[in-house]
Structures are given as structure tokens and as C-alpha cells.
Amino acid sequence: MRMLVAKVHLKSKSQERRWNVRRPLNMDADASHNGAGYTVTIHNLSEGGLMFETWGADLDVNDIIDVNIEDYGTCAAEILWSRNHCYGCRFVEPLPKAVISAAVLKSPFLDTSEGIEESPVRLISALDEYEKPLAMANLSTGSLIILLLLGVAVWAFIYALFTLAVG
């Protein structure tokens, strides 16, 4: 009799792949946590979450905050990461696509006269620092083997071209 052996990999919620498209925007909103109110600037929004920036807030990872999205209302979001006054959150209940579309349409254009052009670069950097470890954790052994074989094939091709050109 043959025994079937299986290996199961369970991912934590923080390692789940992102399935919602993030829409960049620049929209101020009201938020609250434990009775304290904050003004936040939402820099990207998706059905599953948002990234915002705020100053002077006493917020920590795993806190649940209430964010008031214009023309939709208040929705709860869990803080997954924070860096340099920026916070990445996952909504407790996903937002409808129409809410995302409306927010993008109402978002003002970035005004470079006030130095805001530097802000997206800093925000992308903050996001990358959080997501880089997760991206590596999501690579399977099979994916790594394929990448390695592709690398070897590319170098073999370059070597062959060099050999033909010299010889």
C-alpha cells in the first residue's frame, strides 16, 4: 500500500496576494480612532484597502480606524503597516467599485507648485519596504527553479553569441 504525503503551506493574512487594483489619488478625508479625529490624505484606494498619510496621529499596526469616504460614508479599516506618517490599511468590508471610481474622478490633480511632486516617490518607497519581503515570501520553490533556469539559459545564449562573434 502506498502512502500519500502532502505538504500544506498556509499563508498569514499579511502574506496574501493583493487582488485589487490600487487607484492613485489625492483626497482628504476624516478619520477617527478611539474617539480621536484626524484629517488624512488618501494616496491610493482599492476595493480592499487604502494608503493614507497623516501627521500627529497616534496609530499602530492592527488598529481599526474609521475613514469617512466622500459620498459613501464611514468604513472600518485595519492598519497593516506604517512608515513615515504613511499607513497601509485593509478594509474590514470591501468597498464597491463605484465608490473607487467616484473617488478617482473627484480627486484633484497633483499640484507641483507646492512641492507635492516629491510625495508620491516617498510614498512608493514606503509601500515597497512593506511589500518586498511579502513578494519574496510568495515565491514558491518551483518559481525559483524556473527563474534560475531562465537565468542560466540567458547566460548560455550570451556565451554562444560571444563565441560565434569571436570565432
Side-chain angles (χ1 to χ4, degrees), residues 66-80:
D66 293 318
V67 181
N68 186 8
I69 306 291
E70 186 178 348
D71 295 332
Y72 179 71
T74 303
C75 51
E78 176 187 6
I79 297 176
L80 299 179

Side-chain angles (χ1 to χ4, degrees), residues 48-64:
L50 76 156
M51 180 176 66
F52 68 85
E53 183 175 22
T54 190
W55 296 86
D58 185 25
L59 300 171
D60 295 310
V61 172
N62 298 323
D63 283 349
I64 303 292

Side-chain angles (χ1 to χ4, degrees), residues 81-96:
W81 60 267
S82 68
R83 182 166 183 241
N84 297 337
H85 309 285
C86 295
Y87 299 86
C89 304
R90 174 180 41 231
F91 290 122
V92 174
E93 295 292 326
L95 292 182

